[in-house]
Amino acid sequence: EMILEAANAIMCASSNLVRAANAAQRELI
Amino acid sequence: MPVFHTKTIESILEPVAQQVSRLVILHEEAEDGNAMPDLSRPVQAVSLAVTNLVKVGRETIQNSDDDILRLDMPSALARVENSSQHLEEASAMLKGDPFSTPARKKLIEGSRGILQGTSSLLLCFDESEVRKIIRECKRVLDYLAVSEVIDTMEDLVQFLKDLSPCLSKVSREVSSREKELTHQVHSEILVRCLEQVKILAPILICSMKVFILIVEQQGKGSDEAAENRNYLASRMSDEIQEMIRILQLTTYDEDQSE
């Protein structure tokens, strides 16, 4: 289903974003 | 216990759910935190994906004949769109001040919102798919109710012609749904109900045939034959009703189901 693919694409993009944000914080801990 | 009730939803949301939780924890532990890197590119990628989801979501709404989906899905889409906006704002604020606390809060808020909005959207879509299966189950229930008034072989043949494809569809769809569920108990109940329906269906047809033959030959025992037929039809109906009940459950309802 297209909606599942679209949701999956958002989650992949969000995952990259959150990973980038997490990486900056992790250096400090 | 699983948080997401289907394997598809779990596979889409679970990795990001964990990362967002981690982001919140890291943010809290780091308090003022390190300087945030430039997030404009990943935020842009999220925005593009959101635009596509909104487009696909609107098409789904337009093409759907499910009133509940048409009612529920727009708010989930709006949630995702608003959250994407939050991310863009956070990204712009962080560009100006990589230590900005309000920007970090906005980033967390946006990430959570994307996750929750996408989760609502997937749930909304999934519930609509479940309603399609339930519609087929109810068609079988309607046919079973008709079994009581079938009193000729000709009608029985027609009854079989109507019931068989419907029953096959239910069997196929429930079997596929059962494999999708993360909740083991729900999955096992569906398997058990489906097995019972498959066992009972040919016995019901046989009992209907016996009833018709007795009536046609004006023999004794037609009341008992009718009673037997009705009993089998009601057993099958009970199994289908139970399948409908389980299909409607999510893990959030599990306290009630157990």
Side-chain angles (χ1 to χ4, degrees):
Chain A
E1 293 288 349
M2 280 171 73
I3 206 145
L4 296 179
E5 283 174 25
N8 204 26
I10 289 195
M11 287 301 111
C12 289
S14 301
S15 173
N16 288 337
L17 167 66
V18 177
R19 202 179 301 131
N22 278 347
Q25 295 301 301
R26 202 170 287 125
E27 287 168 18
L28 200 77
I29 309 286
Chain B
M1 276 296 156
V3 179
F4 306 106
H5 72 287
T6 76
K7 289 173 187 169
T8 301
I9 294 180
E10 185 180 57
S11 71
I12 293 173
L13 299 178
E14 179 71 23
V16 180
Q18 283 179 7
Q19 283 179 347
V20 171
S21 304
R22 187 85 187 121
L23 176 70
V24 177
I25 293 165
L26 287 171
H27 175 77
E28 281 167 358
E29 284 179 5
E31 293 182 351
D32 288 339
N34 257 351
M36 275 283 184
D38 182 6
L39 297 174
S40 50
R41 282 187 69 179
V43 164
Q44 186 61 26
V46 173
S47 296
L48 277 173
V50 167
T51 305
N52 182 49
L53 180 80
V54 170
K55 183 175 159 278
V56 173
R58 285 191 182 138
E59 281 168 9
T60 305
I61 293 167
Q62 269 181 353
N63 298 331
S64 175
D65 57 358
D66 184 335
D67 289 341
I68 302 174
L69 178 137
R70 292 170 75 97
L71 200 70
D72 289 351
M73 203 175 257
S75 60
L77 285 176
R79 179 92 203 264
V80 178
E81 259 183 318
N82 286 341
S83 304
S84 176
Q85 189 65 39
H86 279 148
L87 290 181
E88 284 181 25
E89 286 165 15
S91 167
M93 286 161 79
L94 285 168
K95 239 181 176 175
D97 174 11
F99 295 94
S100 165
T101 304
R104 284 155 201 263
K105 282 188 178 155
K106 225 177 228 300
L107 183 71
I108 290 175
E109 203 181 310
S111 308
R112 268 183 177 157
I114 294 262
L115 185 65
Q116 285 164 356
T118 310
S119 171
S120 301
L121 186 101
L122 290 175
L123 209 62
C124 180
F125 178 72
D126 186 67
E127 283 167 356
S128 172
E129 293 297 297
V130 167
R131 283 193 288 275
K132 286 183 195 165
I133 307 175
I134 289 175
R135 212 150 51 208
E136 290 304 315
C137 290
K138 286 187 173 165
R139 279 182 68 195
V140 173
L141 286 178
D142 289 343
Y143 284 128
L144 290 175
V146 170
S147 67
E148 284 189 27
V149 296
I150 306 287
D151 54 7
T152 67
M153 278 299 175
E154 200 185 351
D155 286 350
L156 180 60
V157 169
Q158 189 56 49
F159 176 83
L160 250 177
K161 272 185 186 164
D162 294 335
L163 179 68
S164 299
C166 199
L167 208 51
S168 301
K169 198 169 179 190
V170 164
S171 168
R172 207 168 45 240
E173 289 181 355
V174 170
S175 175
S176 140
R177 181 70 184 172
E178 163 273 309
K179 290 178 184 71
E180 256 290 293
L181 296 180
T182 54
H183 198 290
Q184 191 64 29
V185 176
H186 295 175
S187 176
E188 282 167 9
I189 296 173
L190 285 181
V191 170
R192 204 168 60 225
C193 290
L194 203 53
E195 275 172 5
Q196 283 302 308
V197 168
K198 285 179 185 169
I199 292 169
L200 289 166
I203 310 177
L204 170 70
I205 301 303
C206 195
S207 75
M208 290 170 76
K209 198 172 165 184
V210 168
F211 171 78
I212 293 165
L213 287 174
I214 291 175
V215 169
E216 278 180 354
Q217 290 161 12
Q218 294 172 337
K220 281 182 183 174
S222 67
D223 287 348
E224 289 83 350
E227 204 175 306
N228 187 41
R229 174 203 61 199
N230 294 350
Y231 166 74
L232 289 160
S234 92
R235 280 271 317 271
M236 263 184 88
S237 296
D238 290 348
E239 298 294 345
I240 303 271
Q241 294 277 15
E242 178 66 355
M243 288 197 310
I244 291 174
R245 187 182 76 84
I246 297 296
L247 285 168
Q248 286 172 322
L249 291 176
T250 62
T251 44
Y252 314 112
D253 307 312
E254 89 196 1
D255 289 345
Q256 290 164 11
S257 80
E258 283 158 13

